[in-house]
């Protein structure tokens, strides 16, 4: 029979002397600990510039993913060139499609101010030019010349008319003829008194002159058109001369930027076409975009600096914490005016992609998936290498409204997604674009090897956090305790957790307790209190269950022996706490052909893994006891007082012990609890949560009355996972609590029963008794079948 484990085996302590020897220098900078594989992947992803080599950083929360990304991006980003500024200007050919302009970093704001100054100066210059005496004189001369020509035409017509006793009259609405008599207009009575022949003659003359009038009017209109053209030509000449110096100065300044130069030429053309509107004074309070008023005309020359990198060093690094569609891709805002929504290019707003263009964009994939349109639109932007600002509904064919559609901006950046391994697996499996766009995976581990290097890095982290947050100094014993806690969180004596958020929380809480005690440093007692208080705050359900065990509502025996009854151990996970709790497993056996029946499975309270574990029991029995006869057994296994689903196979060995006890009739010690899964060969396999399970049974034993023979059987493979509480360490050291590590079912049944496992031919052993009982069942079943056959009617 195996002996219990020694005190040294149940926890790997950290020697404070080792802490002294490895003590880091104060003032340590932030470091990335225990993630060499992920760090290499990140560095590779940041270094390669080919398409599709964006990075997916995979790992559990709290393992330092974001910290690592920020740190490793900053250095290459600082050495890269500052990306261009981007701005939008009016597209004079199609105002609904604003034109993009790219300028060197820092020049967008300067260009915007230059344009504002240019339009203001152009307004002042044009005002002066059109108030100039020379311009007014030339314009007056054109008007006078036209008036003289027009007067000459009508005077000549009037002279010819008078000779024919006709007078030409002109009103604002029409031109008509009036017959004359004795040089005076004829009245209607005088005209009616004339004879019919005379009236016809007068009407004929009037019709003749009306034709001549039409010819003269056409000539007059031609003269007026010619005069207007001369005035326009004069105004354009004056305007061209007035703004030429201003425009040439601007064009010379931006002559090396073709797109800006082309825009300035378009501005020149537009000013010469619309200078009359530009001459109108701006009214105070104007500025409603797109209100259509002439006084708002100057806004068409505004520059919207969408992205400006003035004073920026290196490439941008943007962390978008709320990746909505608009926050990523920008939007065109609208303002209310006269009961409707209006907009113009000044209301185009940037998104994170614009801000990160030429650099790096960091996104949490979970937040990305919470926002409609964001993921698909992001993939489209990366594939097409452009940022399109549009309403989210437009790209999906929803109801759309007429609005601005800015020219897309070329996109060149590296996207870093941060998420859990589950998201990576789902995307890789079901999203055909994902594997082409995110070719680099940086996988963050949850633990690292516990060696001198790792311990030194842990101490480095403690020093960094202390300096960063102004915590009290930890003494060597406190640091050693934190390192031990790191192994406890990793569930492995040979490893340390990389959940540094948990380690940081312990340090912060220990600092609180030390400050409350007015201590000058954090001691091991403060660290221990921080760990215990965290458990206490979350352990209400655990304590309630233990209370129910203590008062007998949940039936658990920790004394005596029982046939077919074993204490199993399970782990309950409730948010931020995992705790162990014992469960009673019972087995009853009898004659039949159904084999092993798990009551939980029949009641549909068994998960698939638990069901598999139960079925393995049949394989074990067949291998060892039922080679020469059919199965003649009905065995029913149950988790007593279990009212929810049972999942996992860590109780499969416990169920087997209950079955062997029931078949052999040998009672099992109730002071021992068991955990461990088995295979069909009877080998004990590792399970999870071994520390919580041991501690759970220890608490129950304390509540029901501790004895020196109480303990737990665990798989030998889990020995390296033992990082038990100090209270249990002391109980093990003093022999008040025992832990047995086993490799086979035979070893376990011997500890539980005190009876050797033996073999089927060795009398007095468990295997012999089980085999004998199965033989009896087989013989009884055979006899029953024969008697039933003889009594059957022919």
């Amino acid at each position: 029979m195996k002996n219990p484990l020694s005190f040294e085996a149940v926890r790997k302590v950290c020697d404070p002397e080792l802490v002294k020897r490895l003590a880091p220098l104060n003032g340590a900078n932030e470091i990335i600990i225990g993630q060499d594989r992920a760090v290499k992947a990140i560095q590779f992803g940041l270094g390669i510039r080919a398409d599709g080599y964006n990075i997916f950083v995979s790992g559990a929360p709290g393992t330092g993913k974001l910290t690592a990304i920020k740190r490793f991006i900053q250095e290459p980003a600082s050495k890269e060139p500052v990306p261009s500024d981007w701005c939008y200007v009016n597209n004079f050919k199609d105002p609904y499609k604003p034109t993009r302009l790219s300028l060197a970093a820092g020049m967008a704001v300067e260009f915007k101010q230059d344009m504002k100054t240019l339009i203001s100066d152009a307004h002042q210059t044009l005002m002066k030019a059109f108030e100039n005496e020379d311009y007014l004189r030339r314009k007056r001369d054109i008007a006078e010349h036209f008036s003289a020509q027009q007067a000459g035409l009508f005077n000549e017509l009037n002279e010819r008319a008078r000779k024919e006793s006709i007078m030409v009259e002109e009103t604002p609405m029409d031109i008509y003829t009036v017959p004359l008599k004795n040089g005076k207009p004829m009245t209607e009575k005088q005209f009616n008194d004339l004879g019919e022949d005379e009236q016809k003659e007068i009407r004929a003359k009037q019709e003749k002159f009306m034709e001549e009038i039409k010819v003269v009017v056409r000539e007059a209109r031609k003269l007026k058109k010619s005069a207007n053209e001369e005035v326009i030509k004069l105004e354009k000449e004056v305007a061209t001369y007035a703004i030429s110096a201003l425009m040439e100065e601007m064009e010379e300044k931006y002559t090396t930027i073709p797109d800006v130069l082309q825009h300035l030429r378009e501005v020149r053309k537009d000013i010469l076409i619309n200078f009359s509107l530009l001459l109108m004074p701006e009214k105070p309070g104007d500025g409603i975009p797109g209100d259509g008023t002439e006084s708002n005309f100057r806004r068409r020359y505004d520059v919207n600096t969408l992205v400006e990198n003035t004073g920026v060093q290196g490439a941008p690094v943007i962390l978008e914490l709320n990746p909505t569609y608009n926050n990523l891709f920008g939007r065109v805002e609208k303002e209310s005016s006269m009961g409707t929504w209006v907009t113009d290019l000044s209301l185009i707003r940037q998104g994170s992609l614009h801000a990160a263009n030429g650099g790096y964009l960091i996104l949490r994939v979970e937040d990305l998936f919470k926002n409609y349109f964001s993921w698909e639109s992001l993939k489209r932007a990366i594939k097409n290498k452009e940022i399109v600002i549009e309403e989210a509904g437009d790209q999906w064919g929803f109801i759309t409204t007429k609005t601005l559609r800015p020219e897309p901006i070329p996109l060149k950046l590296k996207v870093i997604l941060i998420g859990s391994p589950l998201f990576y697996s789902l995307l890789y499996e079901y999203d055909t674009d994902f594997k082409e766009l995110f070719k680099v995976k940086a996988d963050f581990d949850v633990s690292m090897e516990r060696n001198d290097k790792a311990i030194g890095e842990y101490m480095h982290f403690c020093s960094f956090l202390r300096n960063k947050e102004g915590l009290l100094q930890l003494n060597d014993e406190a640091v050693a305790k934190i390192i031990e806690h790191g192994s406890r969180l990793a569930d492995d004596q040979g490893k340390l957790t990389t959940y540094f958020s948990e380690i940081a929380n312990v340090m912060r809480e220990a600092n609180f307790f030390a400050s409350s005690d007015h201590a000058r440093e954090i001691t091991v007692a403060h660290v221990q209190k921080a760990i215990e208080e965290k458990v206490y705050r979350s352990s209400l359900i655990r304590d309630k269950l233990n209370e129910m065990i203590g008062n007998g509502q949940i039936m658990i025996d920790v004394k005596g022996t029982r046939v077919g009854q074993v204490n199993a151990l399970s782990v309950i996970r409730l948010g931020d706490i995992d705790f162990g709790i014992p469960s009673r497993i019972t087995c009853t056996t009898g004659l039949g052909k159904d084999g092993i029946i798990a009551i939980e499975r029949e009641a549909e309270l068994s998960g698939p893994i638990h069901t598999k574990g139960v079925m393995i029991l049949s394989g074990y029995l067949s291998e060892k006891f039922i080679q020469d006869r059919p199965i003649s057994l009905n065995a029913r296994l149950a988790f007593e007082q279990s009212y929810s689903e049972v999942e996992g196979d860590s109780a499969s060995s416990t169920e087997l012990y209950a079955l062997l006890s029931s078949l052999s009739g040998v009672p099992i010690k109730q002071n021992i609890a068991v955990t461990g899964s088995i295979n069909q060969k009877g080998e004990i396999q590792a399970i999870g949560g071994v520390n919580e399970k041991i501690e759970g049974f220890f608490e129950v034993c304390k509540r029901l009355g501790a004895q020196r023979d109480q303990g737990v059987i665990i798989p030998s493979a889990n020995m390296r996972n033992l990082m038990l509480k100090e209270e249990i360490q002391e109980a093990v050291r003093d022999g008040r609590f025992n832990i047995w590590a086993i490799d086979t079912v035979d070893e376990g049944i011997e500890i539980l029963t005190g009876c050797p496992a033996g073999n089927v031919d060795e009398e007095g052993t468990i295997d012999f008794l089980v085999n004998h009982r199965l033989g009896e069942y087989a013989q009884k079943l055979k006899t029953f079948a024969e008697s039933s056959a003889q009594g059957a009617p022919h």
Side-chain angles (χ1 to χ4, degrees), residues 426 499 511:
L426 291 174
Y499 284 101
N511 182 78

Side-chain angles (χ1 to χ4, degrees), residues 403-423:
T403 185
L404 300 182
R405 298 184 182 279
E407 183 180 7
I409 290 178
L411 177 65
K412 183 181 179 182
L413 84 170
K414 194 170 287 289
V415 179
I416 297 96
L417 294 182
I418 299 176
S420 69
L422 175 62
F423 280 121

Side-chain angles (χ1 to χ4, degrees), residues 87-89 108 111-112 115 263 299 301-305 345:
C87 57
Y88 277 112
V89 294
F111 177 63
K112 179 177 182 177
M115 283 299 299
H263 176 68
R299 292 178 68 96
Y301 304 111
D302 284 352
V303 177
N304 181 349
T305 53
L345 68 86

